[in-house]
Amino acid sequence: MVGIMDGEHVRERIGGVNQSGVRDYNERLLLSMLQRNGPAAGGDMARRAGLSPQTVSVILRKLERDGIVKRGEPVRGKVGKPSIPMELNPDGVFSFGLKVGRRSADLSLLDFTGQVRKQLHLSYTYPMPQEVFGFLETGVAQLAADLDEDARARLCGIGIAAPFELWKWHDLVGAPEQDFLSWRELDIAQIVGQFSDLPVFVVNDATAACRAEHLFGKTKDYRDYAYFFIGSFIGGGVVLNGTVYEGNQGNAGALGSMRSTGPLGESRQLIDVASIHLLERRLVEAGLDTDMLWGHPQDWSQLSRYVDPWIGETAQELAKAALSICSVIDFEAVVIDGAFPENVREELVERVQRYLANQDVRGLIPPEICEGSIGENARSMGAASSPIFTQFLLNTNAGLSSI
Amino acid sequence: MVGIMDGEHVRERIGGVNQSGVRDYNERLLLSMLQRNGPAAGGDMARRAGLSPQTVSVILRKLERDGIVKRGEPVRGKVGKPSIPMELNPDGVFSFGLKVGRRSADLSLLDFTGQVRKQLHLSYTYPMPQEVFGFLETGVAQLAADLDEDARARLCGIGIAAPFELWKWHDLVGAPEQDFLSWRELDIAQIVGQFSDLPVFVVNDATAACRAEHLFGKTKDYRDYAYFFIGSFIGGGVVLNGTVYEGNQGNAGALGSMRSTGPLGESRQLIDVASIHLLERRLVEAGLDTDMLWGHPQDWSQLSRYVDPWIGETAQELAKAALSICSVIDFEAVVIDGAFPENVREELVERVQRYLANQDVRGLIPPEICEGSIGENARSMGAASSPIFTQFLLNTNAGLSSI
DNA sequence: CTATTAATAAATCAAGTTTATTTATTTATT
DNA sequence: AATAAATAAATAAACTTGATTTATTAATAG
């Protein structure tokens, strides 16, 4: 089995490959194919993977025995024996995902196919470790208690999505610097380890959202793309070679730090000119209630007087940033999502496309600009998908060398 | 054997792995270790690669039989049987590299260890296909004729480094648009195929330079870095996970297209503000002879009145670009090289470091800025290294799936 | 001479491939 | 409607490849 059952976690190897590495690779490959393209018969998968039908058969039967894939309905109507499509077993793997945000935290229980089975929510004025991890501890216990014994044994980890260097936020969120600095000293894995034996994965929040979009989103199947997630603060993620790329230091896709230039030629960062907190500030200045921004379901239609110009400015900045991004890596597309209503996303993407047409693209292959499809939940879903990805799916950026 | 001898070229596979894939991977891994870290004994390599000594022994003996590695002098002085370090056989593989530049083309014959064995040079006012490929054809014939039969059989390919969308250059180089457009229709592999059976690899020129630096340079062994090559026009390359990353569409590291902003807030590209052609133009405006820029060996000391301000402006732009680049991928370093004298490179790097200190690095891990070590020849050497890399070394970005 | 280490041969093990068989269908024929 | 032929899927058995384990030999320092 790929990982969880025998407690075999992620090893960082430098080097050579042996047969069990091959088996692990091929297992992950088949699971990734099912994850990405949906149910498929063994013979079909063999053809696509370039493996012999027998090999695929052996691997699939083992995965079936382990309960992480299951047989679908036989497909009749063609000559010959009907084919039996195999599919991921939704109940085969479960995972927790915690998103730590500017104003709230979400805890999701995800199944193997990316369905959010349960979700808990916590609001605050700003996040503090004790409260957040208290929420996580009780939440994990509560959600796990609702599962039957078999499902509980199939919990494969806890993913935690938080902004990079959260402790530097104190001025932005209005928290006392001294208190907030305690985030810095935190060993998250150690804290979580005190109340759970599940493996813990800490990820950048926007990278988590990117992973959710990549694994579970409806976006076209691009091999390489950059991803924006516009929340209180804008962030980004990067997909290379069909796999989310976190970066050697875990800080790839820090697109909020892209340089922009103000009207007076002064240097700014994207985070200062293309984030929802700008819109929020304008609402505050206008004496309006900012809770309208974060309602469930989200509806910004009452705010169009403030939202429309915000979309315009944000789109302009995103268009410029998109091209700089594509100078570094020749992404096929730039995908945009965020914690806003769908019609806002749609409008934003359309405007970016329009601005892009007027940019200087010498030396570049201009990317397609398209909408993400998950929205606000992307971060906690992406957090939860990290343990699943690491233990069951194929990282095409790591080769065999670091499985 | 990895490739050349049995004429087995690069296949793009999508999928699964079998035993021969494993063998190929491990062979490439051992060769890459020798390439990167120099001679090493089998046992030592086994330890580092995490393979059994036996496996390494078998592979090395085969590579030795094939003549691409050879035994070094036994190392005595330690207890036990002396170890026999293995090393790449310089005469084991040869490759041609053609650089097509703004004012000249270079053809290099490279050996397996990266030594330029022979080099030919062609100058022009601007490059035209017929002249360039004529030079390549006669040059390849001439250099091959100088080799003995065994060495000739070990030629593994022709790498060609040219700028992206060369045909769009006509206004920059002062060529008649109509003539120059013929570059566009060109099927380079087909043209070269008419006079040579060697496999042909076309690469972006700056990416080629980056590969030369990565394989043969003295730069510290960073896992991920961005690379600038400043020639007539500035270009870039990208190293991810210890391997040069060309990009899905072959246009990764198009750093010349990074956006910059002029004093009036107008949008410009790096290529317009950080290239040697700017310096050249100023020399022309001052009525000076631009040949001083391109002499061999290069000496710009007479030009300091023009060079110093150029360095300053270039450094400022590079510092800003470096941070945008590191927002996309969390590179450990930014390496700077170019077709200029070493003291210019040194000064430039120092200034970039100084400018970087004043930049807004919120949300980023600031990269180290350091000097490349190869200089002008990097592009043709890098071009020549492409066939060697593709056929003998390990692409850690491709996994096993696309070897 | 002994302890130690390097290199490699022989036997073993793991995983993919090839070939052959079984099974469930559809399609053609009677 | 009954039956045979063709086809395709799935899998079992034998085979092949390549890494690992264990044992042996070689060379050297002390």
Side-chain angles (χ1 to χ4, degrees):
Chain A
M1 233 274 277
V2 187
I4 177 183
M5 293 299 176
D6 40 13
E8 175 189 315
H9 294 156
V10 205
R11 287 153 294 151
E12 266 288 350
R13 263 199 269 125
I14 338 98
V17 188
N18 53 22
Q19 278 94 331
S20 55
V22 170
R23 179 52 168 275
D24 185 62
Y25 182 96
N26 287 337
E27 251 179 56
R28 285 169 183 265
L29 174 66
L30 296 186
L31 286 173
S32 292
M33 286 170 63
L34 292 177
Q35 199 281 315
R36 184 142 288 276
N37 311 118
D44 185 34
M45 300 184 75
R47 221 168 299 117
R48 283 188 283 158
L51 291 168
S52 69
Q54 182 59 11
T55 299
V56 173
S57 168
V58 167
I59 294 176
L60 284 178
R61 267 179 307 139
K62 180 172 159 297
L63 292 174
E64 192 186 0
R65 264 202 318 281
D66 290 341
I68 57 184
V69 305
K70 63 175 194 182
R71 284 161 195 273
E73 276 308 297
V75 175
R76 292 160 213 281
K78 283 181 297 187
V79 174
K81 181 176 175 179
S83 66
I84 299 168
M86 302 299 290
E87 58 190 60
L88 297 187
N89 180 2
D91 297 327
V93 181
F94 295 97
S95 174
F96 290 112
L98 174 74
K99 164 223 126 183
V100 182
R102 153 84 182 82
R103 306 167 36 102
S104 65
D106 292 322
L107 179 63
S108 299
L109 173 67
L110 214 68
D111 73 21
F112 199 24
T113 57
Q115 291 300 311
V116 178
R117 294 289 185 95
K118 300 260 173 64
Q119 195 165 46
L120 300 174
H121 191 80
L122 171 74
S123 290
Y124 37 65
T125 36
Y126 51 83
M128 286 301 292
Q130 225 178 353
E131 191 178 4
V132 169
F133 290 112
F135 169 65
L136 178 62
E137 177 169 2
T138 55
V140 162
Q142 180 186 331
L143 296 182
D146 290 351
L147 294 173
D148 64 40
E149 200 175 333
D150 176 62
R152 227 173 4 248
R154 291 175 176 278
L155 284 165
C156 79
I158 301 176
I160 298 179
F164 179 68
E165 296 188 335
L166 179 59
W167 55 88
K168 290 187 176 167
W169 272 19
H170 55 87
D171 48 343
L172 285 167
V173 302
E177 177 170 0
Q178 214 45 48
D179 293 7
F180 214 63
L181 225 54
S182 63
W183 278 109
R184 184 177 200 158
E185 324 298 339
L186 241 53
D187 178 349
I188 293 185
Q190 190 259 318
I191 293 177
V192 179
Q194 287 174 354
F195 59 81
S196 169
D197 292 331
L198 292 170
V200 177
F201 301 81
V202 180
V203 208
N204 176 278
D205 55 353
T207 297
C210 182
R211 168 155 288 146
E213 182 66 46
H214 188 63
L215 292 178
F216 310 125
K218 298 187 204 72
T219 320
K220 199 181 130 196
D221 225 3
Y222 299 109
R223 243 181 80 140
D224 310 284
Y225 59 90
Y227 172 90
F228 282 110
F229 188 88
I230 304 176
S232 279
F233 306 111
I234 192 173
V238 158
V239 173
L240 283 180
N241 197 18
T243 302
V244 173
Y245 183 78
E246 295 190 29
N248 195 7
Q249 307 173 79
N251 202 36
L255 306 180
S257 300
M258 290 293 296
R259 273 174 36 85
S260 168
T261 314
L264 306 167
E266 78 278 18
S267 175
R268 304 182 301 191
Q269 287 196 348
L270 203 54
I271 200 171
D272 302 319
V273 294
S275 297
I276 296 182
H277 84 96
L278 291 173
L279 175 58
E280 192 173 22
R281 201 165 59 199
R282 280 181 221 168
L283 294 184
V284 170
E285 285 165 6
L288 291 168
D289 183 3
T290 60
D291 284 352
M292 291 193 68
L293 286 179
W294 313 107
H296 289 271
Q298 286 184 303
D299 178 5
W300 291 10
S301 55
Q302 304 303 307
L303 304 170
S304 62
R305 187 176 153 194
Y306 304 91
V307 170
D308 285 353
W310 175 82
I311 292 180
E313 291 153 32
T314 304
Q316 207 155 3
E317 295 294 344
L318 289 180
K320 291 189 280 186
L323 290 183
S324 277
I325 291 168
C326 290
S327 315
V328 182
I329 303 287
D330 53 348
F331 295 113
E332 298 171 61
V334 172
V335 176
I336 299 173
D337 202 354
F340 38 45
E342 286 182 27
N343 63 323
V344 171
R345 178 172 68 203
E346 196 181 337
E347 172 74 13
L348 182 62
V349 165
E350 202 178 292
R351 296 256 205 125
V352 174
Q353 289 166 341
R354 238 182 296 148
Y355 283 121
L356 197 69
N358 301 319
Q359 302 288 318
D360 178 1
V361 297
R362 282 144 54 218
L364 295 176
I365 303 166
E368 289 182 43
I369 308 291
C370 52
E371 285 188 61
S373 57
I374 299 194
E376 206 190 352
N377 248 338
R379 289 163 295 180
S380 74
M381 286 173 64
S385 71
S386 270
I388 297 178
F389 173 77
T390 326
Q391 291 171 67
F392 297 96
L393 302 178
L394 193 61
N395 184 347
T396 53
N397 292 133
L400 276 194
S401 48
S402 66
I403 287 172
Chain B
M1 231 275 277
V2 185
I4 178 183
M5 293 298 175
D6 40 12
E8 175 190 317
H9 293 155
V10 205
R11 287 153 294 150
E12 266 288 348
R13 264 199 270 126
I14 339 97
V17 188
N18 52 23
Q19 279 93 329
S20 56
V22 170
R23 177 52 170 274
D24 184 63
Y25 182 96
N26 287 336
E27 254 180 54
R28 285 169 184 266
L29 174 66
L30 296 185
L31 286 173
S32 291
M33 287 169 62
L34 292 177
Q35 199 282 316
R36 186 142 286 275
N37 312 119
D44 185 31
M45 300 182 76
R47 222 168 299 118
R48 283 189 283 157
L51 291 169
S52 69
Q54 182 60 11
T55 299
V56 173
S57 169
V58 168
I59 294 176
L60 284 178
R61 265 179 306 142
K62 179 172 160 294
L63 293 172
E64 192 186 1
R65 265 202 318 280
D66 291 340
I68 56 183
V69 304
K70 64 175 195 183
R71 284 160 194 274
E73 276 307 299
V75 175
R76 292 162 212 281
K78 283 182 296 187
V79 173
K81 182 176 174 178
S83 66
I84 299 169
M86 301 299 289
E87 58 191 61
L88 298 187
N89 180 1
D91 296 326
V93 180
F94 294 97
S95 173
F96 290 111
L98 174 73
K99 164 224 126 182
V100 182
R102 155 82 183 81
R103 304 166 37 100
S104 65
D106 292 322
L107 179 63
S108 299
L109 173 67
L110 213 69
D111 72 20
F112 199 25
T113 57
Q115 290 300 310
V116 177
R117 293 289 185 95
K118 300 258 174 63
Q119 195 166 44
L120 299 174
H121 191 81
L122 169 74
S123 290
Y124 37 65
T125 36
Y126 51 81
M128 287 301 291
Q130 224 178 355
E131 190 178 7
V132 169
F133 291 112
F135 169 65
L136 178 62
E137 177 168 4
T138 55
V140 162
Q142 180 186 331
L143 297 183
D146 289 352
L147 293 174
D148 63 40
E149 200 175 333
D150 176 61
R152 223 168 12 244
R154 290 173 177 279
L155 284 165
C156 77
I158 301 177
I160 299 179
F164 178 68
E165 297 189 335
L166 179 58
W167 56 87
K168 290 188 175 167
W169 271 20
H170 54 88
D171 50 341
L172 286 167
V173 302
E177 178 170 359
Q178 215 44 50
D179 294 8
F180 214 63
L181 226 53
S182 62
W183 277 108
R184 184 177 200 158
E185 323 299 338
L186 241 54
D187 179 349
I188 294 185
Q190 190 260 318
I191 293 177
V192 179
Q194 289 174 354
F195 58 83
S196 169
D197 293 330
L198 292 170
V200 177
F201 301 81
V202 181
V203 209
N204 175 278
D205 54 353
T207 298
C210 182
R211 169 155 285 148
E213 182 66 44
H214 189 63
L215 292 178
F216 311 126
K218 296 187 206 75
T219 319
K220 198 182 130 194
D221 224 2
Y222 298 109
R223 244 182 81 140
D224 310 285
Y225 58 91
Y227 172 90
F228 282 110
F229 188 89
I230 303 175
S232 279
F233 307 110
I234 191 172
V238 158
V239 173
L240 284 180
N241 198 17
T243 301
V244 173
Y245 183 79
E246 295 190 28
N248 195 7
Q249 308 173 77
N251 202 35
L255 305 181
S257 301
M258 291 292 297
R259 273 174 34 84
S260 169
T261 313
L264 306 167
E266 78 279 19
S267 175
R268 304 183 300 193
Q269 287 196 347
L270 204 54
I271 199 171
D272 302 318
V273 293
S275 297
I276 295 180
H277 84 96
L278 290 174
L279 175 58
E280 194 173 21
R281 199 165 60 198
R282 282 181 219 167
L283 293 184
V284 170
E285 284 165 6
L288 290 169
D289 183 3
T290 61
D291 284 353
M292 291 192 69
L293 286 179
W294 313 107
H296 288 272
Q298 287 183 300
D299 178 5
W300 291 8
S301 54
Q302 306 301 308
L303 304 170
S304 63
R305 187 175 152 196
Y306 303 92
V307 170
D308 286 352
W310 176 82
I311 292 180
E313 291 153 32
T314 304
Q316 206 154 5
E317 295 294 344
L318 289 180
K320 290 190 282 186
L323 289 183
S324 277
I325 292 167
C326 291
S327 314
V328 182
I329 304 287
D330 54 346
F331 295 113
E332 297 170 64
V334 172
V335 176
I336 298 172
D337 202 354
F340 38 45
E342 286 183 27
N343 63 323
V344 171
R345 178 172 67 202
E346 196 181 335
E347 173 74 13
L348 181 63
V349 166
E350 202 178 293
R351 294 255 207 128
V352 174
Q353 288 166 340
R354 238 182 297 148
Y355 282 121
L356 197 69
N358 300 320
Q359 302 288 318
D360 179 0
V361 297
R362 281 144 55 219
L364 296 175
I365 303 166
E368 288 182 45
I369 308 291
C370 52
E371 284 189 60
S373 58
I374 299 193
E376 205 189 353
N377 248 339
R379 289 164 295 180
S380 74
M381 286 173 63
S385 71
S386 270
I388 297 178
F389 173 77
T390 323
Q391 292 172 67
F392 297 96
L393 302 178
L394 193 60
N395 183 348
T396 52
N397 292 134
L400 276 192
S401 46
S402 65
I403 287 172

